[in-house]
Amino acid sequence: MQDELNQFERNDVWELVPRPPSQTIIGTKWVFRNKLDDQGNIVRNKARLVAQGYCQEEGINGFIRGKVDTTLFVFEKGQDCLLVQIYGDDIIFGATNDSLCKKFSKLMQGEFEMSMMGELNFFLGLQIKQCQEGIYISQSKYTKELLKKFGIEEGRIVSTPMATNVKIDKDEKGKSVDESKYRGMIGSLLYLTASRPDILHAVCLCARFQSNPKESHMSAVKMIFRYLKDTIQYGLFYPKNENFSLKGYSDSDYVGNIDDRKSTPGSCQFLGDCLVSWFSKKQNRVSLSTAEAEYISAAFCCTQLLWMKQTLADYKCSFNNIPIFCDNISAINIAQNPVHHNRTKHIEIRHHFLRDCVSKRKIEISFVPSQDQLADIFTKPLSSETFASIRARLGIMHIE
């Protein structure tokens, strides 16, 4: 704490002045953190005195602040650019020219007392490996810790996180299990889905029963852990290429929930060949047809793609006619037909913005054969062969 106050004085951060009349004073608070390396070891204790409220100006020192992502700052010099992302008091930066990185690093260290951690290899619990082919992101260390924490280091392994022949319901007559432990396991697995989208559907399905978990639900959760035991070193691979096309896949498991017959939409979005977003969540209402369920799923995918389009504008990327791949012809026809009729009048109005986006050429909805529907993995349990195929196409692979 004293080091932090001394640094304020050395950098001449503030000037003591009389309080202006009729002005609200912004308070401060201390924030304490332990800085960890990629092995989980504490490398530094940090204390930061922060203001409870702040004001920043755009365009300081040649940097342009992101309009959508206000923690992003961009500096351009000729054909090159430097991107700076701020998270709390941590800074990640990269550039198209290595000299810009070196100049920025020297500038920051000259202005502030900062520690340069070098090439990014660990951030927010994510292990990051950079190589000539691209970037690997994983949470293998965290996965090992979970297996040890919940006592699942031994025992058999499985090839998928959920069996296709098992239907999970409330199991009201089943034997109850420790609710606190069950919730802890679900919470830990949800955090792991940041780099393991292959377990998302199974985890979200088990998460529905946190209020009164039974032995059958605990067995399903343990199966996810047994799958992780065999795939500890798996993570996301982002290949290095110049393909920056934006696209999405949407699918739905019609009336797949046994208890209330609601459908589960799932979607994923790609930037080039890189999976950057994924989604799986039970609908709030019952769909009256497969077409309706698929149409609503495509609408969810559309909202995510439009948000990504806005965000990517900060990086000077623009997109139109963004494709959504759907394997249901009826849903595609509804999205492309501007005329309301009996088949669509019962669908909530808010979902019809998809049709509006299609008519304005913001979105293009296209047919994809079921065997090429990558969003399948987010809506239902799959056979080992199909699961492994889609997993590989999503870029989830073994990382050395």
Side-chain angles (χ1 to χ4, degrees):
M1 292 170 69
Q2 190 59 53
D3 287 343
E4 174 79 343
L5 294 174
N6 291 341
Q7 186 168 306
F8 283 158
E9 187 172 340
R10 285 193 296 272
N11 292 330
D12 199 21
V13 170
W14 57 44
E15 177 183 353
L16 190 63
V17 298
R19 174 176 176 170
S22 303
Q23 293 293 321
T24 301
I25 302 300
I26 298 175
T28 59
K29 68 175 183 178
W30 284 99
V31 177
F32 303 100
R33 285 183 59 196
N34 290 326
K35 192 79 171 181
L36 308 177
D37 61 14
D38 59 346
Q39 299 300 316
N41 301 313
I42 298 177
V43 295
R44 193 168 40 143
N45 299 315
K46 300 171 67 174
R48 294 290 180 263
L49 183 62
V50 298
Q52 295 173 316
Y54 61 92
C55 181
Q56 292 175 298
E57 296 178 33
E58 183 176 324
I60 297 177
N61 292 330
F63 281 90
I64 300 174
R65 188 179 182 183
K67 294 181 180 179
V68 177
D69 184 354
T70 56
T71 66
L72 171 71
F73 294 85
V74 181
F75 175 78
E76 295 180 305
K77 184 178 181 180
Q79 297 297 314
D80 293 312
C81 70
L82 171 73
L83 303 176
V84 180
Q85 190 83 47
I86 299 176
Y87 184 86
D89 58 357
D90 289 325
I91 299 177
I92 299 176
F93 59 94
T96 55
N97 188 320
D98 190 52
S99 64
L100 288 179
C101 285
K102 292 178 180 178
K103 288 180 180 179
F104 178 74
S105 174
K106 185 177 180 180
L107 172 66
M108 296 301 290
Q109 287 183 301
E111 291 289 333
F112 308 100
E113 288 193 10
M114 302 180 64
S115 297
M116 277 296 299
M117 307 302 291
E119 184 178 277
L120 181 66
N121 54 36
F122 188 75
F123 189 68
L124 300 180
L126 297 173
Q127 295 165 252
I128 300 162
K129 180 181 178 181
Q130 302 184 53
C131 60
Q132 287 295 324
E133 296 78 22
I135 297 175
Y136 293 91
I137 297 178
S138 69
Q139 292 171 283
S140 57
K141 177 183 174 294
Y142 178 70
T143 305
K144 292 177 183 177
E145 291 175 351
L146 291 186
L147 293 171
K148 182 178 180 180
K149 177 181 178 181
F150 296 112
I152 315 180
E153 294 178 287
E154 304 297 332
R156 66 185 180 92
I157 58 177
V158 294
S159 58
T160 64
M162 183 164 285
T164 56
N165 60 349
V166 176
K167 297 292 184 181
I168 303 178
D169 58 14
K170 290 182 179 179
D171 192 12
E172 294 178 340
K173 296 181 179 180
K175 184 178 179 180
S176 297
V177 296
D178 186 340
E179 188 174 303
S180 178
K181 180 181 179 181
Y182 186 86
R183 288 183 174 181
M185 296 172 82
I186 292 295
S188 299
L189 288 171
L190 284 171
Y191 181 69
L192 187 58
T193 60
S195 67
R196 295 296 300 271
D198 50 331
I199 66 171
L200 181 65
H201 172 257
V203 175
C204 290
L205 180 55
C206 292
R208 299 173 189 173
F209 309 103
Q210 293 183 79
S211 60
N212 189 18
K214 306 295 184 179
E215 285 185 339
S216 60
H217 306 139
M218 181 63 80
S219 296
V221 171
K222 288 183 177 179
M223 183 173 179
I224 300 173
F225 278 98
R226 288 198 296 271
Y227 166 73
L228 291 172
K229 184 173 179 289
D230 189 42
T231 57
I232 291 176
Q233 298 297 332
Y234 275 56
L236 282 168
F237 174 59
Y238 293 102
K240 182 183 294 185
N241 58 52
E242 297 181 359
N243 178 12
F244 260 61
S245 60
L246 189 59
K247 61 184 177 183
Y249 291 81
S250 74
D251 192 28
S252 182
D253 181 25
Y254 176 56
V255 297
N257 187 276
I258 297 176
D259 296 310
D260 56 20
R261 310 311 290 172
K262 292 178 180 177
S263 304
T264 300
S267 68
C268 55
Q269 292 76 32
F270 286 80
L271 188 59
D273 298 322
C274 303
L275 177 67
V276 292
S277 178
W278 46 94
F279 172 88
S280 177
K281 185 181 180 182
K282 186 177 70 170
Q283 288 181 3
N284 294 324
R285 59 187 294 273
V286 176
S287 295
L288 300 182
S289 65
T290 304
E292 179 184 350
E294 296 275 2
Y295 181 72
I296 292 173
S297 180
F300 285 138
C301 184
C302 177
T303 59
Q304 183 68 7
L305 287 170
L306 293 180
W307 175 82
M308 292 173 66
K309 176 184 177 179
Q310 282 186 301
T311 302
L312 289 166
D314 287 339
Y315 297 87
K316 310 298 182 183
C317 299
S318 59
F319 304 93
N320 282 306
N321 275 344
I322 304 171
I324 294 178
F325 295 102
C326 173
D327 60 5
N328 186 279
I329 294 293
S330 296
I332 295 174
N333 289 338
I334 294 173
Q336 294 176 341
N337 185 358
V339 180
H340 288 269
H341 47 72
N342 290 337
R343 294 180 60 192
T344 62
K345 65 182 181 181
H346 58 278
I347 300 177
E348 288 186 48
I349 296 298
R350 64 190 181 95
H351 298 300
H352 286 305
F353 85 98
L354 170 62
R355 182 185 291 166
D356 183 59
C357 290
V358 171
S359 67
K360 293 179 179 177
R361 300 185 181 277
K362 295 180 180 179
I363 295 291
E364 179 183 25
I365 187 161
S366 305
F367 177 77
V368 64
S370 295
Q371 64 267 25
D372 294 323
Q373 178 51 273
L374 302 186
D376 246 6
I377 200 171
F378 303 111
T379 63
K380 61 180 78 69
L382 303 173
S383 66
S384 298
E385 183 180 349
T386 303
F387 182 86
S389 174
I390 293 179
R391 182 180 64 188
R393 294 175 67 181
L394 292 176
I396 306 167
M397 57 186 63
H398 185 273
I399 299 174
E400 298 293 341

